[in-house]
Amino acid sequence: MTDTAPHGWVPVEHRFLGLDRRTFAPALSVLAVALLLLYGLPALNALIPWHNEIRAGDVLDLGDGATAVPPVGWQLESGALTGGSVSPASVQVELTTGGAAISLRGTAFTGSADAFLDQVLRSEGGAPGIDGSRGTVTTASGLVGVALASTSPQGDGLDVAFKMARTAAEANAAPALLVRVRAAPSQFERQQDTVGTFLRSITPGVAR
């Protein structure tokens, strides 16, 4: 009669605290990979600074030939420079510097720049018509945007809505562009001239 070991039985020489030592190495390898993915790579990414600094001569691509000149020395966190194939209805640009950020978002919208800004405020829980006085921003190319400034304990802001059309006749159906400036307390005045220069540099694309 031959003795047969019970199913799952582990020889004494391979046991440690009741566990099969032969499974330790594969289990530790899996654990090491999991820890690397969960903590190692994000930590490494945080340690490596992101450098995509705007240089003199760089021009942002806003789709269909529309452009803007970003501030030299700022970081281009997202978005494309000219030479690509960006759709004006899907523009997403993020520019940052110490204590300030400029974002641009393009979308399809039928109506005026003022109505577009109303929709943006409404979608964020704001109340169009009672959100403060609005002004206008005119770019060097003659594009007119509707501007709304804001102030809070977190800092200062400026929203400017454009309809990206070369002619008034095309403005209603042209793509919309929201330029949003956010700055930490006391930082907006320091960046005011830079922001103004950037806004004036926005140029609409080809005629539709």
Side-chain angles (χ1 to χ4, degrees), residues 4-201:
T4 303
H7 178 71
W9 180 79
V10 179
V12 174
E13 63 272 19
H14 293 304
R15 273 187 264 168
F16 179 74
L17 298 178
L19 301 174
D20 188 347
R21 290 186 301 177
R22 293 170 297 182
T23 64
F24 285 8
L28 289 174
S29 298
V30 172
L31 178 62
V33 172
L35 290 175
L36 177 64
L37 292 175
L38 285 173
Y39 302 106
L41 293 181
L44 181 62
N45 187 56
L47 289 173
I48 299 175
W50 172 256
H51 289 298
N52 194 9
E53 187 172 299
I54 296 297
R55 293 181 254 182
D58 285 346
V59 178
L60 293 173
D61 188 346
L62 304 182
D64 281 355
T67 60
V69 180
V72 174
W74 286 46
Q75 295 292 324
L76 179 62
E77 303 287 349
S78 64
L81 301 178
T82 51
S85 55
V86 178
S87 166
S90 60
V91 169
Q92 292 194 24
V93 176
E94 191 78 23
L95 296 161
T96 63
T97 191
I102 300 174
S103 65
L104 295 88
R105 297 290 182 269
T107 187
F109 182 82
T110 300
S112 66
D114 205 53
F116 173 57
L117 186 56
D118 279 345
Q119 177 174 286
V120 170
L121 295 173
R122 191 180 298 112
S123 69
E124 296 176 347
I130 59 172
D131 46 34
S133 59
R134 300 185 184 187
T136 58
V137 173
T138 303
T139 71
S141 63
L143 195 64
V144 179
V146 179
L148 177 65
S150 61
T151 301
S152 73
Q154 289 73 40
D156 300 315
L158 177 67
D159 291 340
V160 185
F162 292 99
K163 293 304 297 289
M164 302 298 286
R166 285 191 178 275
T167 65
E170 297 174 334
N172 192 62
L177 179 71
L178 178 68
V179 181
R180 178 160 278 177
V181 183
R182 293 295 181 266
S186 77
Q187 290 294 315
F188 193 87
E189 289 186 6
R190 184 178 301 178
Q191 299 292 346
Q192 191 169 358
D193 291 343
T194 299
V195 170
T197 300
F198 173 74
L199 290 172
R200 288 190 294 272
S201 76

